[in-house]
């Protein structure tokens, strides 16, 4: 029996601003023709994503990625991760 492969989408992320004193990371993320701006407050673990159009498609995957990598990300850096869904 063969397991069906889950659909995936490549997402790209660019860090625009980072402040350890404010516990803040801001940037942009693109996936599947959508583009969002995000603000990650890593102290309390709060993520906001705008605009709302398509936000539900990226928010959980972006949050998991940021939790895993936030201290490794640098302003001006371009990064990529995989979303386990078709966007």
């Amino acid at each position: 029996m063969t397991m069906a492969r889950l659909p995936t989408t490549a997402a790209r992320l660019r860090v625009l601003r980072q402040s350890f004193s404010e516990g803040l990371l801001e940037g942009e993320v693109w996936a599947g023709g959508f583009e969002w701006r995000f603000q990650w407050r890593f102290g309390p673990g709060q993520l906001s994503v705008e605009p709302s159009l398509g936000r539900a498609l990226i928010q959980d995957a972006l949050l998991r990625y940021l939790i895993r990598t936030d201290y490794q990300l640098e302003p001006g850096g371009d990064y990529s991760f995989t979303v386990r869904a078709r966007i």
Side-chain angles (χ1 to χ4, degrees):
M1 185 169 166
T2 307
M3 277 185 69
R5 196 178 276 275
L6 293 174
T8 61
T9 302
R12 293 186 350 246
L13 179 142
R14 175 171 293 145
V15 176
L16 301 175
R17 179 173 173 253
Q18 180 182 53
S19 170
F20 287 109
S21 63
E22 296 176 51
L24 178 70
L25 185 72
E26 294 177 335
E28 300 169 330
V29 63
W30 304 267
F34 290 91
E35 181 178 335
W36 303 271
R37 290 186 67 95
F38 69 89
Q39 186 177 74
W40 167 238
R41 295 202 170 271
F42 43 86
Q46 296 173 331
L47 175 64
S48 64
V49 179
E50 294 297 331
S52 60
L53 181 63
R55 175 174 44 213
L57 300 171
I58 196 69
Q59 195 158 3
D60 286 342
L62 177 58
L63 179 61
R64 284 192 304 274
Y65 180 75
L66 291 170
I67 288 170
R68 204 170 55 245
T69 61
D70 61 1
Y71 288 101
Q72 300 166 23
L73 304 176
E74 297 181 2
D78 291 325
Y79 305 91
S80 63
F81 61 99
T82 301
V83 179
R84 290 184 194 141
R86 185 163 311 203
I87 297 179

